[in-house]
């Protein structure tokens, strides 16, 4: 099937494939196979990073930046939408439909020059708006010389918001038992007892990375004693822990460099080296990290597997993580990447800091203007956490709750509303809080619960915002219809 993807795209018949499977099963290797066999293609790579899920258009920016020389060939509205989305110019919030069309047009333009292969690893970690835009593009490619391949982890991170479900899929499974035996024998230093071999194959379920990592450096005697003991952890957690052990065997400087690389999701090698200087990491640390086989420093930083990145970051002491984020913030050019610099500064902060909170609030405004509601919510939430003044903290928590609700995260919004409610809020903000809480209740299909809340909020709004009050009364009517209560007004509404 993968050979057909390349062949069809070369012939002018666009192809899309989603590779689904558990961590370590070989999805990234299959993407590399596509790249190795796409002679004559221009290859674009991007990867989702969990820490970057809250930065609007981050994945799309990573994929499309090498093609920005084609932006002048796009229709004016598409140029404008893409430029605003990528923060190249100011303007009203980027229209998501227009951004999707712009990316589609840009890929088609580039494919006129030579066939194009777009590889997106760990697509489950792409920020939501990038994922939606790329799924939009994937569904509309027709007769262009473009192939799109996504690797996606199972089970889905968010089954309710999985943009890849309607696209052609290839399930990537573990190796057959005979293939697993061959791989295991190729990496074991001596003859392995047959019963031990079969137990290892059964417990790893033919997962190639598990076969390689969980047996690395162990003698046959250690394997005989180590496998077969119950381990309730998911296989991905066991593999990640094996990477933690390997990272722990490196020098302190090499470990810190890996941590910095894990905290810097773009893979910008010059930026990483500037941060390394601030962290007093010598040049030999880069060689040691690379010799370990865990990471490569080429035109971009590439970890052997995404679990190496998570292992390097999660196993580090919180103080070390803050130190690394501080160095990355200092190494990031503020005039070119203000939002990423603010995000690193926020992760480096130990206590409330109004300057950082204010920077995050401005980043939220820019994200909202580009159409990145989820990113705006994340910036505002962290801004609220870092705000020293209780009143402003409450206002920012309320704004973060509203953005979270708009981004489709009502549970998070309710948590933020509770945080806002605990702070001193003015009358208009109390009214806004009550209104939002009622709207969330209605959206969660609790019409009976929402109705009295909406009526109360509308009553409060009549004096301060009659227009919003009318809209809230209409929502109350909707709640009443949903609850089947139009036959007679609820007691809470009588006499109102």
């Amino acid at each position: 099937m993968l050979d057909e993807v390349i062949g069809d795209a070369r012939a002018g018949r666009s192809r899309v494939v989603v590779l689904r499977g558990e961590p370590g099963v070989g999805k990234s290797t299959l993407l590399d196979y596509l790249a190795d066999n796409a002679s004559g293609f221009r290859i674009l790579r991007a990867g989702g990073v969990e820490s970057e899920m809250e930065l609007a258009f981050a994945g799309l920016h990573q994929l499309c930046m090498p093609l920005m020389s084609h932006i002048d060939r796009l229709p004016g509205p598409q140029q404008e939408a893409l430029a605003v989305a990528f923060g190249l110019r100011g303007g009203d919030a980027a229209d998501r439909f227009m951004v999707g069309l712009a990316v589609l047009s840009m890929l088609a333009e580039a494919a006129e020059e030579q066939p194009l292969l777009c590889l997106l690893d760990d697509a489950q970690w792409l920020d939501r708006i990038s994922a939606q835009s790329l799924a939009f593009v994937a569904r509309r490619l027709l007769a262009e010389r473009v192939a799109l391949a996504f690797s996606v982890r199972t089970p889905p991170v968010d089954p309710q918001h999985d943009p890849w479900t309607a696209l052609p899929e290839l399930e990537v499974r573990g190796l057959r038992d005979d293939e697993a035996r061959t791989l295991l024998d190729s990496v074991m230093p001596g003859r392995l007892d047959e019963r031990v071999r079969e137990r290892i194959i059964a417990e790893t379920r033919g997962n190639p990375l598990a076969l390689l990592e969980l047996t690395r450096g162990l003698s046959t005697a250690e394997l005989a004693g180590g496998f077969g003991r119950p381990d309730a952890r998911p296989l991905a957690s066991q593999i990640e822990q094996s990477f933690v052990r390997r990272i722990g065997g490196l020098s302190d400087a090499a470990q810190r460099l890996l941590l910095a690389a894990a905290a810097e999701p773009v893979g910008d090698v010059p930026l990483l080296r500037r941060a390394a200087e601030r962290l007093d990491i010598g040049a030999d640390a880069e060689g040691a990290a690379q010799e370990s086989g865990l990471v490569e420093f080429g035109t971009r930083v590439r970890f052997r597997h995404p679990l190496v990145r998570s292992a390097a970051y999660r196993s580090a002491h919180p103080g070390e993580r803050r130190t690394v984020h501080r160095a990355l913030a200092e190494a990031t050019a503020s005039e070119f990447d203000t939002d990423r610099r603010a995000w690193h500064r926020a992760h480096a902060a130990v206590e409330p800091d109004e300057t950082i909170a204010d920077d995050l609030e401005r980043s939220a405004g820019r994200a909202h203007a580009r159409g990145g509601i989820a990113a705006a919510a994340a910036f505002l939430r962290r801004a609220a956490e870092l705000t020293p003044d209780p009143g402003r903290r409450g206002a920012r928590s309320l704004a973060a709750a509203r953005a979270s609700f708009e981004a489709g995260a009502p549970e998070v919004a309710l948590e933020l509303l509770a945080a806002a409610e605990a702070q001193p809020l003015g009358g208009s903000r109390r009214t806004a809080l009550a209104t939002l809480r009622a709207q969330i209740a209605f959206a969660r299909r609790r019409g009976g619960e929402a109705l009295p809340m909406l009526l109360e909020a509308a009553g409060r709004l009549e004096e301060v915002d009659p227009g919003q009050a009318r809209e809230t009364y209409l929502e109350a009517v909707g709640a009443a219809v949903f609850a089947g209560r139009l036959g007679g007004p609820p007691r809470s509404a009588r006499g109102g």
Side-chain angles (χ1 to χ4, degrees):
M1 179 181 180
L2 296 184
D3 291 331
E4 292 175 3
V5 168
I6 296 298
D8 284 353
R10 196 190 305 277
R13 297 184 297 274
S14 300
R15 288 291 300 268
V16 176
V17 62
V18 176
L19 306 174
R20 285 193 187 264
E22 66 180 355
V25 78
K27 303 184 299 295
S28 300
T29 301
L30 292 178
L31 292 183
D32 289 339
Y33 175 87
L34 284 169
D36 292 342
N37 288 275
S39 60
F41 278 66
R42 181 172 189 175
I43 299 173
L44 302 179
R45 282 184 178 268
V49 179
E50 188 173 2
S51 62
E52 204 173 36
M53 287 182 73
E54 296 162 326
L55 299 178
F57 295 105
L60 209 58
H61 182 271
Q62 190 183 156
L63 182 74
C64 293
M65 278 310 290
L67 302 180
M68 289 304 288
S69 59
H70 294 81
I71 194 170
D72 293 337
R73 305 182 196 177
L74 305 182
Q78 294 182 21
Q79 286 187 40
E80 179 72 18
L82 203 59
V84 170
F86 288 174
L88 301 176
R89 69 180 70 154
D92 296 334
D95 180 89
R96 297 186 184 193
F97 177 74
M98 200 59 66
V99 170
L101 285 180
V103 175
L104 180 62
S105 299
M106 182 177 284
L107 296 182
E109 282 285 343
E112 289 290 325
E113 298 173 358
Q114 68 182 115
L116 196 62
L117 173 62
C118 302
L119 304 174
L120 293 111
D121 207 356
D122 267 324
Q124 77 279 349
W125 298 133
L126 290 172
D127 60 285
R128 182 177 295 182
I129 195 166
S130 289
Q132 291 171 341
S133 298
L134 288 167
F136 172 93
V137 170
R139 288 192 294 269
R140 284 159 180 81
L141 286 168
L142 294 172
E144 294 81 17
R145 296 191 298 169
V146 178
L148 249 62
F150 306 88
S151 77
V152 181
R153 183 179 297 186
T154 54
V157 173
D158 184 357
Q160 294 182 338
H161 298 94
D162 187 351
W164 322 112
T165 51
L167 300 176
E169 289 190 5
L170 175 63
E171 183 182 359
V172 185
R173 301 177 181 176
L175 300 174
R176 298 194 309 267
D177 286 355
D178 59 326
E179 296 169 332
R181 290 188 194 97
T182 300
L183 177 60
L184 189 58
D185 289 344
S186 71
V187 296
M188 288 309 302
R191 182 174 175 80
L192 196 60
D193 182 85
E194 186 66 25
R195 289 171 298 177
V196 175
R197 179 191 288 108
E198 294 307 309
R199 196 160 63 230
I200 293 171
I201 291 169
E203 291 187 18
T204 58
R205 302 190 301 276
N207 184 298
L209 189 62
L211 284 164
L212 294 174
E213 287 302 320
L214 300 184
T215 58
R216 180 183 290 271
L218 298 178
S219 68
T220 53
E222 289 170 321
L223 282 168
F227 273 87
R229 293 198 300 263
D231 192 336
R233 293 176 300 167
L235 191 59
S237 297
Q238 296 181 50
I239 299 172
E240 184 175 332
Q241 194 57 42
S242 75
F243 285 132
V244 169
R245 290 193 295 270
R246 290 179 62 185
I247 292 167
L250 299 175
S251 67
D252 290 345
Q255 288 186 50
R256 182 175 270 199
L257 182 65
L258 275 178
L259 172 59
E264 199 293 293
V266 177
D268 186 335
V269 173
L271 169 61
L272 182 61
R273 286 172 179 160
R274 291 197 300 272
E277 289 180 11
R278 288 170 168 80
L279 293 166
D280 293 324
I281 298 174
D284 55 339
E286 186 174 315
Q290 194 153 256
E291 286 174 10
S292 72
L294 296 170
V295 68
E296 294 178 7
F297 300 97
T299 54
R300 305 196 82 77
V301 177
R302 287 194 66 188
F303 284 93
R304 183 189 176 201
H305 190 274
L307 288 174
V308 177
R309 180 191 292 274
S310 60
Y313 193 81
R314 294 177 184 176
S315 64
H317 187 275
E320 274 289 290
R321 289 202 292 262
R322 287 193 293 270
T323 299
V324 161
H325 279 294
R326 189 175 300 112
L328 287 167
E330 293 169 355
T332 300
S334 58
E335 65 271 24
F336 297 121
D337 208 341
T338 306
D339 297 339
R340 196 178 301 278
R341 185 172 184 270
W343 195 244
H344 280 308
R345 290 185 69 204
H347 278 76
V350 180
E351 56 189 20
D353 187 313
E354 178 57 32
T355 302
I356 298 176
D358 195 49
D359 285 346
L360 288 170
E361 190 170 34
R362 283 196 290 269
S363 291
R366 286 189 291 269
H368 198 285
R370 296 197 299 269
I373 306 300
F379 281 124
L380 285 168
R381 183 172 190 172
R382 185 60 177 146
E385 293 169 352
L386 292 174
T387 302
D389 178 72
R392 297 195 72 176
R393 189 185 315 130
R396 283 168 174 159
S397 295
L398 178 58
R402 185 178 297 110
S404 297
F405 178 52
E406 292 175 6
E411 300 298 335
V412 175
L414 286 173
E415 291 177 12
L416 288 162
L417 282 181
E421 205 165 23
Q423 306 303 322
L425 296 175
S428 61
R429 288 200 172 106
R430 288 282 173 191
T431 299
L433 188 150
T435 303
L436 182 55
R437 190 184 294 282
Q439 290 169 337
I440 293 171
F442 183 43
R444 295 168 75 200
R445 298 293 188 265
R446 296 179 182 174
E449 177 186 324
L451 179 56
M453 297 168 68
L454 287 166
L455 288 171
E456 181 183 353
R460 291 186 185 183
L461 283 165
E462 282 182 338
E463 294 183 6
V464 295
D465 191 340
Q468 183 63 42
R470 283 193 296 273
E471 290 184 16
T472 306
Y473 275 125
L474 288 174
E475 289 187 58
V477 171
V481 171
F482 181 82
R485 297 171 69 171
L486 280 182
R491 292 177 183 173
S492 58
R494 289 173 188 163

